[in-house]
Amino acid sequence: MERLFRKILFMLAGVCLALTLTTVLVAAQDYKSGSTYFEPRGGVYGTFSDHVKVIATYGGALGYFILDNFSLEAEGLGYYIDQQKIDIANGIAAKNDTATAFGGSLMARWHIPASESATFFIGAGAGGLWADRKVPYNGMQYSVTEQAELGATVRITDGFNLKLAGRYQHIGCFDKTGLSALGGNLGLQFTF
């Protein structure tokens, strides 16, 4: 599983670097303050836990640029969490089970270099997760979440962008009962 995380991280870093280099070559254009966007999105994440294999997310966000190139957004996501209970006595999976959850968070995003064709951004936020069972098995059913992301948007047409982001997300406490995940999400951003 550790190899998978390295590959995902390497690929996301390469995509972000390539998009950053292309944005430097073209004339700057800003996301203007007062603009609003809606973004359906989905993502896949690997975890650093023996109890959770994969997390898949689906949902969307509504955002508003309070300053040029700086937005605040409300994100709502559904979660599919593929987890397994490990039998501590023999170290093997004792029970495979899935959890479903809803997560809501507030995010801030800053578009660093902006151009006519692409932008590079960083973002961070916090929220909550409400699951139908404990996530992971030794964790909690209701948890605080924190996330940080690095990504880019690519303009398809005026008012329509493709967004790709690499994200680190933490669910629950920062101890053995918590869960850290690394992956990415893809969004279709409609700006108006």
Side-chain angles (χ1 to χ4, degrees), residues 36-93:
T36 303
Y37 64 89
F38 171 70
E39 183 182 309
R41 64 175 65 143
V44 177
Y45 303 87
T47 72
F48 299 98
S49 170
D50 292 333
H51 296 287
V52 178
K53 296 177 184 176
V54 176
I55 298 174
T57 62
Y58 53 92
L62 183 63
Y64 181 76
F65 284 90
I66 59 170
L67 302 170
D68 288 351
N69 297 329
F70 185 80
S71 68
L72 295 178
E73 73 177 28
E75 176 183 67
L77 295 176
Y79 285 75
Y80 170 84
I81 303 165
D82 183 14
Q83 62 183 8
Q84 59 185 341
K85 189 172 186 176
I86 305 294
D87 184 355
I88 297 173
N90 59 18
I92 61 172

Side-chain angles (χ1 to χ4, degrees), residues 70-181:
F70 185 80
S71 68
L72 295 178
E73 73 177 28
E75 176 183 67
L77 295 176
Y79 285 75
Y80 170 84
I81 303 165
D82 183 14
Q83 62 183 8
Q84 59 185 341
K85 189 172 186 176
I86 305 294
D87 184 355
I88 297 173
N90 59 18
I92 61 172
K95 178 182 175 186
N96 286 331
D97 201 4
T98 59
T100 56
F102 171 77
S105 64
L106 294 176
M107 298 278 294
R109 184 174 293 140
W110 179 36
H111 293 262
I112 302 169
S115 74
E116 291 183 15
S117 60
T119 67
F120 178 71
F121 63 84
I122 59 173
L129 181 82
W130 299 268
D132 63 348
R133 64 197 68 204
K134 291 182 178 181
V135 176
Y137 280 106
N138 59 340
M140 298 185 306
Q141 193 170 352
Y142 309 106
S143 304
V144 174
T145 61
E146 303 86 13
Q147 54 263 352
E149 65 182 7
L150 179 66
T153 60
V154 178
R155 177 183 284 184
I156 306 300
T157 64
D158 284 342
F160 177 61
N161 298 307
L162 181 66
K163 187 212 72 177
L164 176 67
R167 181 181 281 191
Y168 167 79
Q169 183 168 8
H170 185 82
I171 299 170
C173 299
F174 283 96
D175 60 14
K176 292 181 180 182
T177 64
L179 178 63
S180 291

